[in-house]
Amino acid sequence: MKLQSLLLVGGALLTSTAASAGGYQVTLAGQKNNGMGGVGVGLSLDQAAMFYNPGALAMVRERGVQVGVNATFARSAFVAEGGSTQRELRNSVVTPFNLYASFGPAEGKFRAGIAVYTPFGSTLKYAEGWEGRTALTEIELQAVYVQPTFSYAITDQISVGAGLTVLAYGAVNLQRDVPLPDSFGHIELDGEAERKIGFNAGVFFKPSEKFSLGINYRSKIDAEVKGGDVTFTDIDPNSVLAARFPNTKFDATLPLIATTSIGIGIMPTEKLTIGLDVNYAEWSKYKTLEFTFADPINGSNTSVSKRNYEDALTFRLGGQYKITDGLTVRAGAAYDESPVRDGYVTPETPDANRVSGTIGASYAVGKFGVDFSTQFVSISKRSQTQSQLVANGTQDRVAGTYKTNIVIPGIGLNYSF
Amino acid sequence: MASKLFTKSAPFLAFLGLALTGCQPDLEQDIKPSSGTADFSRYISVGNSLTAGYADGGLYLEGQLNSYPNLLAQQFRSVGGGEFVQPLFTEAQRNGTGYLRLAGFTATGSPITATVTTELALRAGATAARPLYTKFTEPVNNLGVPGIRMSDILTAGYGSVQGNPLFERITPDAQPTQTYLARVTASNPTFFSAWMGNNDVLGYATSGGASTAPTSIITSTATFTANNNQLIDALTANGAKGIVATIPDVTNIPFFTTVGPSFKATLLTPQPGLPNGVPGLVIQTGSAPGGATSTNRRQILTADIRDASGVGRQLFTLTSSPFLGLLNQRTGRAWRYIYGQSGQPAAGFPIFLTTYGIDTLQTFGTSAGNPIPSAFVLDDVEQTAVRTATTAFNNAMIAKATAKNLAVFDVNGFFARVASGGIVTNGVNNTAQFITGNLFSLDGVHLTPRGYSIVANEMIRIINQQYGASVPTLNANDYPGVKFP
């Protein structure tokens, strides 16, 4: 398979999901890692190291290309405070993807590569007429990073690496209903983010055959939408209210936050690899979601909604066992702290602490390999009350109880050369 | 390769399908509606226009369907509530008594209303002065009667053709003089809501304290207390549980808070010869006859008119709105309107003017000879009378309800909170603002479907607390505010 056609496959899959980490972060960057609870910072498994720790790339001996795609099946339930009707998501399947290619001399000390992945995203569609309709009816948030990467092995034991993270594609489509005195209108905010650059850097240290250690930092990028489209529908143009809701333009900024991760790898035998990661996500940068409108909407040029996220940790544990030369099996688990404080839960990220279990397998024939993984994510049941919302000044969202489960199967293909 | 991959992954995908069907979380198992210690099998509501579903200055089918008792009954059904019959107007007569609708806005943004006069429920023999409505003689659960006062519940013949036509409408033909209390006694509820007493002070307030008509004087606390005690005793005679709602301080409702702020701003606008605007007004107060030098004239400072931020005391009624633009003109239009409201023959108008010492050749609102009519202003003295009565009535109702271990809805406290900060329902803000606030209908006194649904939710919350029940609440946003053209 040529790199060119691989890129086209990737291009058809430009979408992502609120799937596998707190907030709108997505950590589905490599099929092998997915099967191992998402560990990877302290390991040098394959080209996906470009995402998990560019410092480890120089230690990945095989050069090659790999492509992976996941499908997220999210099932959510919501019951409004005091209500008795369960609302469910209109089920949609989204497919975060990744693509890696690495090059370098067979015996040389460096590796160069290019990575394409989706580190942030969210796609949710709520049931018609649900209680939170004026907060959100559906959202599609997408961010695709392209990361040219270079990694260098200073010694046999220590390597470093860095990449430029280019926000190559970022898009937001956010829709909600507008409360009119006697009915509901509908607003759609649709915009594409400007291209922006950040970086991803890491150090990898492998003092022995049985132990490795890594640290990785991926910087923040502010996804800025300028001149996005605001479109109103379901407002009778003959109504005296119509003039208050003009189709106009909006500006908005969403922080694609920085993460710091450390990980260790333990290789008790040649066949067994165990990884342990801790991620620290700087969600506290996400204070408000603010839209600025070119023309006043219902008398106001801005819409400000409090987020007030807090930094959050994720703990991951996973391992793989090589049964035969061709077959490797994996399992793992993760615990993911929610960055969303009590009384700040919004329908766009109906977030709570998450527990994940993962399984995976790889089969390799010569230079070809195929990887499977499946994650089962349970987002804890979480309630917020109207009095909490009143106390926080966050009454633009809805009081009630959320619970979400997600199943994320994935498949990856790789070719080494 | 591809087909081989498929055959290998097919069982895997089938397994996933199984996993996915089990993946949908189910929160409904957490919610178990329950009636607690209450029995909702026969729910009876007693009260006045608010209970009947009156809105926009009239009783009509849509308002009836959105009455808070009907909404409550709908929610009670999930916890053993029975059938709830309302004296609904038919579809062919859906506009009932007629009502106000919003027709548009003037260039300056003032609402224009129009009266709906088609598909009324008038029956043969009705006249404009004595309307009679198509009867509904089935037994009803909603005993809300627009206009009824606590002081009326023992009045024999209150529902006769000489009495309240909306009680007459539901009074059995065989018992034309049956009192409201007798009707309540016969209703035999297992659960009830009682929201009575608003009109014992509201009529006085909305008439600006200007009328001596029986419906416009404040009921004595002694009468109110005695009648309330009888009403609650009748409702609880067979051990029924229920909720008692108190009455709000009406000075927070749009009928009194809408006109003053913009009028004040107009008065303060500089004019030729008046760089600081109009400093003050002359109003008439009370109902007693008397001329320009009598105690029924008062000077009101412009600064003392209550504005949107609550500064000032004097309140102007919604009915004053069309006439305040005539300020400083030599006109008798306001007085002709006031006199017209009395229903007296037109020939009596000059005598009326003489009795009250009105000289329509003097400037309207700024001279003692042509003051702003008492009916347009609820002044600070009158407000004190309203508040004193409201407090006394509420104390009587709370004392009786507490003695009977009933749930109490502190309507006064609730609407005071709504008036000061609004109430957000599932992300939508609702305030006491006229028309745009979603809660009050076009008459500025009664609620919209949204307002009634919020009242129903508040009652459910209190019922749940008192009786250990878990009756589900409504999504208030499913119910509209004022209809826009």
Side-chain angles (χ1 to χ4, degrees), chain B residues 11 18 28 42 46 60 71 83 103 112 128 137 150 166 168 204 215 237 245 252 260 318 343 366 388 396 432 466 480:
Chain B
L18 277 177
E28 268 179 359
R42 182 164 167 76
V46 305
Y60 59 107
L71 303 182
E83 198 190 2
I112 304 165
T137 50
M150 191 71 88
L166 288 167
E168 191 270 347
Y204 172 84
T215 54
N252 283 325
L318 210 51
T366 46
T388 305
Q466 179 79 15

Side-chain angles (χ1 to χ4, degrees), chain A residues 326-327 362-365 370 372 411, chain B residues 1-15:
Chain A
L327 181 66
S362 290
Y363 195 73
V365 184
V370 56
F372 296 100
I411 184 169
Chain B
M1 167 85 194
S3 66
K4 196 173 171 190
L5 186 66
F6 178 77
T7 48
K8 283 204 166 178
S9 58
F12 181 69
L13 290 172
F15 164 73

Side-chain angles (χ1 to χ4, degrees), chain B residues 39-45 76 80-85 139-141 143 183-184 186-193 240-241:
Chain B
D39 171 3
F40 299 108
S41 57
R42 182 164 167 76
Y43 164 48
I44 296 290
S45 63
F76 289 161
E83 198 190 2
F84 189 78
V85 179
V140 294
N141 296 69
L143 291 171
R183 184 72 184 267
V184 169
S187 68
N188 193 26
T190 63
F191 191 86
F192 68 88
S193 65
K241 295 186 161 72

Side-chain angles (χ1 to χ4, degrees), chain A residues 76 82 86 181-182 381 395 405, chain B residues 23-24 27-28 30 473 481 484:
Chain A
S76 200
Q86 175 164 308
D182 54 356
K381 187 163 77 179
Q395 295 177 78
N405 293 329
Chain B
C23 170
Q24 174 63 52
L27 294 172
E28 268 179 359
D30 296 359
T473 52
F484 270 60

Side-chain angles (χ1 to χ4, degrees), chain A residues 185-370:
Chain A
H186 189 74
I187 182 174
E188 178 171 353
L189 299 152
D190 188 88
E192 224 174 276
E194 306 199 322
R195 287 209 174 80
K196 287 256 183 125
I197 290 178
F199 68 94
N200 184 12
V203 181
F204 185 71
F205 180 52
K206 191 171 183 183
S208 81
E209 281 303 307
K210 293 190 187 303
F211 184 74
S212 58
L213 182 70
I215 182 162
N216 176 56
Y217 177 79
R218 194 166 46 254
S219 72
K220 176 185 167 216
I221 293 180
D222 278 328
E224 272 184 73
V225 177
K226 286 185 180 158
D229 292 318
V230 179
T231 311
F232 286 97
T233 49
D234 298 347
I235 297 177
D236 179 359
N238 299 316
S239 163
V240 295
L241 293 163
R244 299 189 68 80
F245 300 96
N247 291 339
T248 181
K249 298 286 180 186
F250 77 94
D251 294 345
T253 302
L254 191 71
L256 305 177
I257 46 97
T259 57
T260 307
S261 309
I262 55 171
I264 55 176
I266 303 164
M267 285 67 71
T269 69
E270 267 192 14
K271 290 183 170 178
L272 181 64
T273 302
I274 297 165
L276 178 67
D277 278 14
V278 179
N279 308 112
Y280 176 70
E282 294 176 42
W283 279 114
S284 58
K285 297 289 187 291
Y286 192 27
K287 299 284 189 205
T288 60
L289 178 60
E290 188 169 343
F291 293 95
T292 310
F293 304 113
D295 305 301
I297 291 175
N298 205 17
S300 175
N301 277 91
T302 56
S303 152
V304 181
S305 177
K306 288 186 195 174
R307 292 297 179 270
N308 209 12
Y309 277 25
E310 57 191 353
D311 295 340
L313 292 170
T314 305
F315 303 90
R316 304 175 184 282
L317 174 68
Q320 67 174 18
Y321 188 77
K322 200 168 180 180
I323 296 173
T324 69
D325 275 354
L327 181 66
T328 305
V329 293
R330 302 187 178 87
Y335 176 77
D336 201 343
E337 278 187 337
S338 173
V340 182
R341 292 170 206 259
D342 286 345
Y344 286 86
V345 178
T346 57
E348 96 230 6
T349 42
D351 207 33
N353 296 335
R354 301 165 184 225
V355 178
S356 315
T358 73
I359 51 169
S362 290
Y363 195 73
V365 184
K367 291 181 168 184
F368 277 102
V370 56

Side-chain angles (χ1 to χ4, degrees), chain A residues 69-258:
Chain A
V69 62
N70 299 284
T72 69
F73 300 89
R75 296 287 182 273
S76 200
F78 172 79
V79 176
E81 183 181 27
S84 60
T85 311
Q86 175 164 308
R87 308 292 186 182
E88 293 169 9
L89 290 173
R90 286 184 281 155
N91 299 322
S92 53
V93 181
V94 287
T95 50
F97 74 98
N98 50 73
L99 181 148
Y100 303 95
S102 74
F103 317 93
E107 299 304 322
K109 290 194 145 193
F110 74 89
R111 286 285 181 273
I114 185 141
V116 183
Y117 53 87
T118 54
F120 297 93
S122 179
T123 297
L124 294 168
K125 289 181 184 172
Y126 282 88
E128 295 284 351
W130 82 295
E131 288 82 353
R133 63 194 290 180
T134 62
L136 190 73
T137 54
E138 59 181 276
I139 183 172
E140 278 188 55
L141 179 69
Q142 305 172 356
V144 178
Y145 280 14
V146 172
Q147 180 188 315
T149 311
F150 185 82
S151 182
Y152 182 77
I154 299 167
T155 70
D156 285 348
Q157 293 185 328
I158 190 160
S159 60
V160 295
L164 284 178
T165 50
V166 181
L167 173 59
Y169 179 76
V172 64
N173 183 291
L174 193 151
Q175 300 185 41
R176 57 189 182 220
D177 286 345
V178 179
L180 303 176
D182 54 356
S183 60
F184 289 94
H186 189 74
I187 182 174
E188 178 171 353
L189 299 152
D190 188 88
E192 224 174 276
E194 306 199 322
R195 287 209 174 80
K196 287 256 183 125
I197 290 178
F199 68 94
N200 184 12
V203 181
F204 185 71
F205 180 52
K206 191 171 183 183
S208 81
E209 281 303 307
K210 293 190 187 303
F211 184 74
S212 58
L213 182 70
I215 182 162
N216 176 56
Y217 177 79
R218 194 166 46 254
S219 72
K220 176 185 167 216
I221 293 180
D222 278 328
E224 272 184 73
V225 177
K226 286 185 180 158
D229 292 318
V230 179
T231 311
F232 286 97
T233 49
D234 298 347
I235 297 177
D236 179 359
N238 299 316
S239 163
V240 295
L241 293 163
R244 299 189 68 80
F245 300 96
N247 291 339
T248 181
K249 298 286 180 186
F250 77 94
D251 294 345
T253 302
L254 191 71
L256 305 177
I257 46 97

Side-chain angles (χ1 to χ4, degrees), chain B residues 252 409-423 458 461:
Chain B
N252 283 325
F409 175 16
D410 172 16
V411 177
N412 195 8
F414 179 70
F415 275 102
R417 286 198 302 280
V418 169
S420 66
I423 180 167
E458 192 63 13
R461 203 180 57 75

